[in-house]
Structure formats: structure tokens, C-alpha cells
Amino acid sequence: MNIPPYLEKWMGKNLFSVVPMAIAVINPEYDLVYANKAFELLFGEWENRKCYKVYKHRDSVCRNCKGSETFKDGISRVNKEVGYNKNGRLTSYTNHTIPVVDDNGDIPFLIEMATDVTETEQIKKEHQLLFDQVPCSIFILDRNFRIVKTNKKIRNTFGDTIGMHCYKVLKGLEEKCVECTAMQTFTDGQMHTGHHLWQSGTGQPGTEEQINSHVTTVPIRMEDGDVDLVMEMAVDITQTIKLEDELKVAYTFMESMIEASLDGVIAMDANDSVMIFNHAAKKIFQVSDNKKITRKEIKSMLPEEFLAQISAGQGHVYFPETEVYSINSEKIPVRLIGLRISVEDKSMGTAITIQDLREIKQLENEKLEAERLAAVGQTVAGLAHGIKNLITGLEGGMYMLNTGMKKSRLDRIQEGMEMLDRNIVRVATFVKAFLSFSKGREIKVNLSDPVRIAKEVVMLYSQRARELGIKLINEESGSISPALMDSEGIHECLTNLVGNAIDACNMSEAGTGQHVVVRTIEKDNVIIYEVVDDGCGMDYELKQKVFTNFFTTKGLGGTGLGLLMTKKIIHEHGGKIDLESESGKGTTFRILLSRSRLPKKS
Amino acid sequence: MKILIIDDEPDIRTYLMAALEDSGYETFAVKENEPATEAIKAYQPDLIILDIMMPKQSGISIYKELRSKPQFSNIPVAIISGMLPGKGFKTEFKKLINDNTISFPEGFIEKPFQLSTLIELVGNLLK
């Protein structure tokens, strides 16, 4: 092909100037004889300077000067060089050194062509750094599954493995793995992932360590598009798998605990979907084992107020005694604890435990019944004693009457008649009181004001106390809200206790001026009545007898039933009665009514 | 022969006194809260008839006191009670006394009693 003369002229004259590569001409004395625009842009001023001065800011010829070698042997060279650019900054460049040969075969000049590769070098460095320091294992494989390149992590774990088969290095195998992730990438040129168990260590027993690796293989394409190399990147998931396993164990453990729990457990997620409804809960709510419970059913089972309080996030919601409905709408007494579970203010759901109180209630009722029967039993024993005394009294009266008539002794006849009279009256009082005790009265529960009952009893006795010179005082402390109780029953109890206290003061040897204080207080949800007197008091034996026997200290005046009756009524209220007394000092009777044990409205 | 009766029931005191006097005994009665030991010292009885269940001081504590003092411990005591059953009296009494060193009373009569039984027992104890 003929090159047109204008083109040849342009190339000879202008190309040298415009080519985007730094070109300089150097003579054997290392003088820069000529340089193009690009050279000036890269290295700056060059005229009348030595090449080593311009390239490397040196004052003498470089050691290993490639130019001098080319001057000698006439062979072109390509070198990687590091010099300074015109701004004095270190610069990487590749230098092509080409000899200019004259007609005599001498080399009067060299052409040096430099390309600035500073940026490329930088990128390469960064790349290498990344490849080495990334916290995962990376290696490159060829088609024979030989390792071509490894990063630092692989080297630290497996040592120098270049040229070895990956399956030998990583798994100690003699052949390729059956499921080979790299193979898949070699075959289809796509990215693949897999899970492999690697075996690290030096092969010495005891040094082995299993590494669970999550592996990603990516193709490295050649210019022709073929995949000759595969880069394999692996993340150690041993810890993750260990944690997963531990989590699984913990979960299974918790699940079986919840399932085996004697208390019902219900858990709902943030959308109120039921996640857990354990065996005990199914038993309480009478739900068949395979039935799925819905949010709506939960709402129909649990008290509205309870769920509302949990939703409001009021910490632990505790309903010590409440009722839930089974799936068959049967009322069941339970204790409920509920909690809104949140993590960093984000609601995760709701957990509820349900304790079945049916058995406890049953036991409580049985205990109350047993106590009642015991009271009746003691009463019967006491009654027998009372009756025996009455019979003896009657027999005595008869004896006096008979012997009086036989002996014509009017005084005996008179006394006998009086004894008969007295004991017949006693029999009548006795029988009446006992009938009322044994028959009992139906307990009538109403919302009553505990303080008012005490006030009424004090009013009732005020005149009698005044007549006997006894100060009867009603004391109340704080406000006590109304409670469900049999107001007539409690009235009767207090009447008995206050009557006894007044009698005790009257029997006291200290004359008049004693006190009877009726105190109504509430403490920790327990309503307490105290009847305190500074009357005659009781000794130890008497204290033992007051509740357990059909017992009176008042001769003909008492039936011995007052305290038994009181005890019975208090028991029917789920309450307790106790006493403190010291002979000669006085007595305190105390009725304790726990609000949680009070009877439900009849 | 002198008999001391300790009982809180006035009617029973009257009855026992009349019946025993009719059988030729000399009797004296005290209420349970009158100091029995004073009466015994003053009256020097040959037999004491003692009720158990009395409101102010029980017959048990009076009995214990009598048995613990040498000047009284040889006076025979007959317990008269409606509280303790005739059968099993010893066991029940032991429980109430709760002290193995104290000897049992010499006699026991359960209320209500046949007058003849009482007279017979008293007769036996005062032989």
C-alpha cells in the first residue's frame, strides 16, 4: 500500500508531538535530546538535562541503567520504573527503551516511551490488599482444581498450597468432591454457593479442626469468554452453626418445658396470633389436642379487663383469683399472670400463664367443711357436758323435793322446787340456743360497710355499759371500703364478743371504770375487728377452752354457745378468730377477714 | 366423817350436800374460786369431791395442787364430772393432767349419777 506523501510527512513531523505517550530521545551521554509534549506534561522541563536528573532527580547515572545496556547490545527493553513526576511526586511508569540504529549499525540514540501507571499500580495494590485481608478465605482454582492463588486467611489456615488440589488441601481427599461447587461454575459459567466441611490442621492427630464453610464460586472469564479460572470465597459459619444448634436445643428444651408445665401457657405474637397454647391450657379450656386456637377464641376465654391491662403494657398483670371461660363456656376459677413482651420498646407479643384453681378451691371448701364439722363435733361434746350438769341439777331438785316431803322439811321442798324451776328454764334456753346453732342460718352476703356494723353493736351496748360504769369506745382508723359479707352474721359475732367483754369487766375484781374498745381497721386487704377489754382476763386453761367446748363462765346466765357461734360465722366468711388474754389484765379478741377469702355474692 | 365438795354449780353443791348429809356425813362446800387449800386446812376433810370443768379455776389445777403438797396429798379425792367419760376415764384424765408423777384420784363418778353409786363409792373411800 502506498502511503500518500502528505500522510508520511504528517506522521514524521506531527505524530511525535501528539501521541499520548511520553517519548524522549537520549544520546549515549544520557542527555535528553528531544522529547514530546506528553513527556513534558509528565516529567516537566527536559531541555539540556540528563535523563537520570529528569526521571529520578538524581545527579549520577542510575545503577542498573537499562538504557546503557541497550546502547551496548541494541536490544529493546521494557521496564517498570519508579521516578518523580513534574510535581515531585513518586510516579510509576513502564518504560520501553528502543535503540535507534544508524546506517553504520551504530546506536547514536535511544527512544524511551514511558506510560504513567501510577493509578493502575495503586489499584492493583488495593486489590491485593483486599484479596489478602478480607476476613474470608479466597483462592483461585484452575480447571484441574489446582490452587493458583490464595489469600492470607487460606495461607494462615492451610499453609502454602499453590499448585495443590483443592480437595486434598481442604478435605484431605484424593479425588474431587462429589458435590463440587467450583465444578458447577466451570460448567455453566454462573455463580454458585455450597456448604462444605473443611478439615484444617497439619495432619497431626489433635490438630484437626472442622470448619463449616459457606462457599461462593464465581467465574473469572478470559477475554475469549471462556472460564479458565474460578474464584472461591468461603465464610466460616462454624460459630453460626454452633449457635444455631444451641438455639435449637434451647428452643426444644423450652418447648418441652412449656408443654409439660402444669400451668397453662399462652403466647401470642405482635399481631395477636396464637403461637403457644400448651397442653395444660388445652386441659383448662377443654380444647381438643389438635385444635388451633384463634385470637377471637382467646378473647372469649379470658377476662376483657385482663387483656386490656396487658395491652396497655402495665408490666406484670396479676389476677390472683378470677374466672375464665372454657371453650364450652364453662366458668373456671384461675389465677392469671400476663405480660406484654417488648424488646427495646418494640412489642414482640404477649405471654400469659394460667393456674387452675379448681383443685385448690375444692380443697379449701373441704377444709372449711371439715372445720365446720369439727366445730359441730366439739359442740356436741360440750352439749353433752351441759346436759349432764342440767340432769344432775334436775335430779338434785327431785331429791330435795322427795326427801323434803318425806321428812316434812319445808325448806328442802322450797329449795327443790327452785332447783327444778331453774334447771327447767336452763334446759329451755339451752335447747333453743343449740337448735339455732346446729340448724345454722343461711349465710346472706351483701355489700356491707364493716365500720357501720361495729358502730351499731357499740350503740346496742352503750346503755348497759353506762349502767355498769364501763367505758365502751368505738374506734375506726382510715376508710374501709364496703365488703361482701353477711352483715347480720358479723353483727352477731361482735354482739357476742362485746357482750363477753362487758361481762368480763363486770366480773373483774378491780371494781368499775373498765374499758371495752371496739376497733375496726384494714391492713393488707384484711379487715380486722378487735374487741379489747381490761376486765378479768383468762388463765391458760380457760383460753384453751373458750372455743373448743360448750363452755360458760356465767353460770345460769350463759349457754356456752356464743363463741362457738361466732367461730362458725367467721369460718363461713373464710376468716379467723384468735385471742390474747391475761388473767386479771384483760382480753383481746381479734377477727381477721381476708378480702380475697370472703364469700361471693349469693 | 367430813367431806369437802368443790363444784361451781350451786345446785349440784346443794344436792351433794343434802344427799351426803342424809347418809350421815358432815359436808362443807366451796366454789372453785375460793382458795380450796384454805378450806382444807380449816376443815380437815376425810374426802374431797372435786368437779373438773369449772370456769374460773379448773378441777385439774386444784387436783395438781393438792397432790403436790404433802399435807394434802393423803386425802382421798373423788372426781365428779360430766366431761370425762366413765369408760376411758383414766386415759382422758392422764391427758388433762399431763404429768406422770401425779397419782390417779381414788374415785370417779360420772355425771349424772345414781345416788346409790355415789353413796357406795363414798362409803368405800371412807372405810
Side-chain angles (χ1 to χ4, degrees):
Chain A
M1 188 178 154
N2 284 328
I3 297 162
Y6 68 88
L7 178 59
E8 203 165 21
K9 192 179 160 197
W10 187 89
M11 289 207 316
K13 204 175 169 189
N14 296 332
L15 180 62
F16 187 71
S17 298
V18 298
V19 76
M21 181 183 257
I23 304 177
V25 181
I26 299 167
N27 68 12
E29 281 75 44
Y30 309 110
D31 294 315
L32 285 163
V33 182
Y34 193 71
N36 70 351
K37 198 85 185 152
F39 187 92
E40 205 172 306
L41 278 176
L42 182 58
F43 294 108
E45 287 284 313
W46 55 270
E47 274 170 277
N48 301 319
R49 292 180 189 212
K50 300 282 187 192
C51 64
Y52 45 79
K53 182 78 186 169
V54 172
Y55 285 134
K56 312 224 175 180
H57 295 193
R58 288 173 65 92
D59 294 322
S60 59
V61 181
C62 309
R63 256 179 273 168
N64 309 320
C65 170
K66 301 296 174 194
S68 63
E69 286 174 24
T70 299
F71 271 120
K72 275 180 207 154
D73 59 18
I75 295 168
S76 300
R77 288 184 163 74
V78 182
N79 296 312
K80 266 191 186 172
E81 299 284 349
V82 178
Y84 294 95
N85 70 5
K86 65 175 177 189
N87 301 317
R89 186 165 293 173
L90 270 176
T91 301
S92 294
Y93 57 97
T94 33
N95 213 2
H96 292 247
T97 309
I98 299 151
V100 177
V101 184
D102 65 11
D103 295 343
N104 302 323
D106 292 332
I107 303 169
F109 297 108
L110 295 179
I111 306 280
E112 288 200 333
M113 294 182 284
T115 314
D116 182 1
V117 291
T118 310
E119 217 165 295
T120 321
E121 283 300 310
Q122 188 64 29
I123 290 169
K124 252 187 174 171
K125 248 187 222 162
E126 283 171 5
H127 216 78
Q128 187 60 38
L129 202 68
L130 182 75
F131 183 79
D132 261 345
Q133 302 295 338
V134 74
C136 69
S137 302
I138 305 178
F139 56 93
I140 295 170
L141 287 178
D142 67 11
R143 278 191 168 271
N144 295 318
F145 305 100
R146 281 183 194 278
I147 295 170
V148 176
K149 194 177 175 186
T150 57
N151 77 343
K152 202 170 163 189
K153 196 161 161 68
I154 287 278
R155 285 195 296 278
N156 286 347
T157 318
F158 298 99
D160 183 14
T161 56
I162 302 295
M164 293 165 76
H165 285 114
C166 60
Y167 44 82
K168 177 74 185 164
V169 170
L170 302 174
K171 301 192 182 179
L173 297 175
E174 297 305 327
E175 278 178 46
K176 191 167 74 66
C177 310
V178 181
E179 295 219 354
C180 175
T181 315
M183 182 68 194
Q184 290 174 290
T185 298
F186 277 126
T187 309
D188 62 10
Q190 303 297 314
M191 189 181 91
H192 288 278
T193 57
H195 180 208
H196 291 270
L197 199 60
W198 292 355
Q199 198 86 40
S200 80
T202 56
Q204 302 290 324
T207 59
E208 292 97 358
E209 195 186 330
Q210 292 206 319
I211 305 170
N212 273 288
S213 296
H214 180 78
V215 161
T216 305
T217 53
V218 290
I220 301 177
R221 285 177 202 282
M222 297 295 112
E223 277 161 29
D224 56 10
D226 279 356
V227 179
D228 282 343
L229 298 171
V230 159
M231 188 193 280
E232 188 161 325
M233 298 172 280
V235 183
D236 184 352
I237 53 168
T238 309
Q239 282 302 320
T240 317
I241 286 188
K242 205 172 140 200
L243 283 174
E244 257 176 22
D245 284 350
E246 277 170 13
L247 204 69
K248 221 179 271 171
V249 169
Y251 185 79
T252 312
F253 180 72
M254 226 169 69
E255 206 178 29
S256 24
M257 282 245 306
I258 289 172
E259 203 48 34
S261 162
L262 291 177
D263 289 343
V265 178
I266 300 175
M268 290 178 280
D269 66 10
N271 303 318
D272 282 348
S273 295
V274 181
M275 308 303 287
I276 296 172
F277 199 93
N278 74 343
H279 183 70
K282 282 178 176 157
K283 227 170 117 188
I284 294 169
F285 292 100
Q286 297 159 5
V287 173
S288 61
D289 262 345
N290 43 14
K291 183 172 164 43
K292 266 287 208 193
I293 297 296
T294 65
R295 183 185 345 184
K296 210 174 142 196
E297 280 163 331
I298 294 280
K299 277 187 180 156
S300 70
M301 288 168 170
L302 297 172
E304 204 176 318
E305 174 65 17
F306 178 68
L307 290 173
Q309 283 189 24
I310 297 175
S311 299
Q314 300 172 342
H316 254 80
V317 180
Y318 180 52
F319 279 40
E321 247 189 273
T322 182
E323 276 168 339
V324 295
Y325 289 92
S326 78
I327 200 117
N328 309 315
S329 301
E330 189 187 314
K331 262 191 196 176
I332 294 153
V334 293
R335 172 168 301 162
L336 290 178
I337 301 168
L339 183 64
R340 187 127 193 104
I341 304 167
S342 20
V343 175
E344 286 166 357
D345 284 347
K346 191 170 178 285
S347 170
M348 304 295 289
T350 310
I352 296 166
T353 61
I354 307 118
Q355 194 185 354
D356 192 342
L357 294 183
R358 276 176 292 190
E359 208 170 309
I360 292 171
K361 283 271 149 198
Q362 171 91 13
L363 285 173
E364 262 177 18
N365 285 341
E366 279 170 12
K367 188 167 164 268
L368 269 179
E369 182 62 14
E371 277 170 4
R372 200 184 67 79
L373 284 174
V376 169
Q378 285 157 4
T379 310
V380 169
L383 177 73
H385 175 252
I387 286 172
K388 283 172 184 172
N389 266 340
L390 288 177
I391 292 170
T392 313
L394 285 169
E395 278 179 354
M398 288 299 288
Y399 179 85
M400 298 300 276
L401 200 63
N402 281 336
T403 53
M405 292 212 287
K406 268 188 204 152
K407 297 181 178 179
S408 302
R409 279 179 58 180
L410 212 63
D411 59 329
R412 272 205 182 187
I413 296 173
Q414 183 70 31
E415 187 141 20
M417 290 292 285
E418 280 169 16
M419 278 167 76
L420 283 175
D421 260 357
R422 264 201 298 276
N423 284 289
I424 285 167
V425 170
R426 283 175 78 184
V427 168
T429 323
F430 223 78
V431 169
K432 233 166 78 187
F434 184 71
L435 277 181
S436 104
F437 175 76
S438 63
K439 208 172 87 197
R441 19 187 302 285
E442 277 291 299
I443 184 162
K444 269 185 254 155
V445 176
N446 281 305
L447 202 60
S448 322
D449 176 1
V451 179
R452 217 195 62 204
I453 301 172
K455 257 188 211 157
E456 281 172 4
V457 172
V458 169
M459 292 270 285
L460 190 73
Y461 275 105
S462 56
Q463 191 179 345
R464 185 168 139 72
R466 223 178 4 255
E467 282 167 10
L468 294 168
I470 296 162
K471 291 199 179 81
L472 178 57
I473 304 149
N474 179 54
E475 266 186 26
E476 20 184 295
S477 62
S479 70
I480 299 172
S481 58
L484 275 179
M485 46 196 200
D486 178 358
S487 56
E488 275 178 43
I490 299 295
H491 189 279
E492 188 175 336
C493 294
L494 289 176
T495 306
N496 281 329
L497 294 184
V498 175
N500 281 351
I502 289 174
D503 288 343
C505 291
N506 201 28
M507 276 191 248
S508 165
E509 282 152 14
T512 56
Q514 282 88 4
H515 304 80
V516 174
V517 180
V518 180
R519 201 172 284 145
T520 315
I521 44 184
E522 178 162 1
K523 202 177 160 192
D524 300 333
N525 272 326
V526 180
I527 300 164
I528 303 167
Y529 287 111
E530 279 180 352
V531 178
V532 186
D533 70 63
D534 51 6
C536 59
M538 289 180 260
D539 63 12
Y540 177 76
E541 281 175 58
L542 195 52
K543 275 191 275 183
Q544 300 307 303
K545 275 183 279 192
V546 284
F547 290 117
T548 52
N549 280 308
F550 204 89
F551 183 78
T552 181
T553 60
K554 301 174 195 168
L556 301 185
T559 61
L561 280 167
L563 282 178
L564 272 180
M565 196 73 194
T566 301
K567 193 178 169 189
K568 177 174 173 256
I569 294 169
I570 297 306
H571 279 179
E572 281 168 347
H573 282 76
K576 277 193 292 197
I577 178 162
D578 57 32
L579 76 112
E580 282 163 33
S581 185
E582 199 178 328
S583 191
K585 294 257 174 82
T587 304
T588 299
F589 274 92
R590 196 175 290 114
I591 295 174
L592 300 132
L593 300 168
S594 169
R595 281 192 187 268
S596 64
R597 281 169 60 93
L598 284 175
K600 302 278 174 288
K601 203 167 163 61
S602 41
Chain B
M1 288 291 196
K2 295 183 279 188
I3 301 174
L4 176 68
I5 298 159
I6 308 174
D7 199 311
D8 66 308
E9 281 286 332
D11 286 353
I12 293 172
R13 287 200 299 268
T14 311
Y15 178 27
L16 288 174
M17 284 170 81
L20 291 169
E21 272 166 22
D22 289 349
S23 294
Y25 298 105
E26 204 179 300
T27 59
F28 187 80
V30 289
K31 294 181 200 164
E32 88 278 15
N33 58 342
E34 294 166 6
T37 49
E38 294 298 311
I40 297 166
K41 273 188 211 157
Y43 187 63
Q44 298 286 327
D46 301 295
L47 172 70
I48 298 166
I49 294 180
L50 176 64
D51 186 16
I52 292 292
M53 197 150 111
M54 296 181 290
K56 284 178 186 153
Q57 192 185 3
S58 84
I60 295 295
S61 65
I62 296 173
Y63 183 76
K64 277 185 176 172
E65 195 183 352
L66 293 180
R67 290 299 174 185
S68 66
K69 289 184 177 160
Q71 69 260 47
F72 309 127
S73 61
N74 51 0
I75 307 171
V77 175
I79 298 291
I80 179 164
S81 172
M83 189 183 77
L84 296 168
K87 269 186 192 174
F89 161 74
K90 278 199 167 184
T91 336
E92 291 297 312
F93 191 80
K94 218 174 167 177
K95 270 194 231 164
L96 285 178
I97 288 277
N98 196 25
D99 184 344
N100 281 332
T101 62
I102 294 173
S103 60
F104 278 110
E106 285 70 15
F108 172 71
I109 315 152
E110 187 183 2
K111 284 183 197 167
F113 50 85
Q114 290 274 326
L115 193 54
S116 57
T117 318
L118 172 76
I119 300 300
E120 194 189 326
L121 176 73
V122 170
N124 284 338
L125 291 175
L126 289 175
K127 246 178 215 168

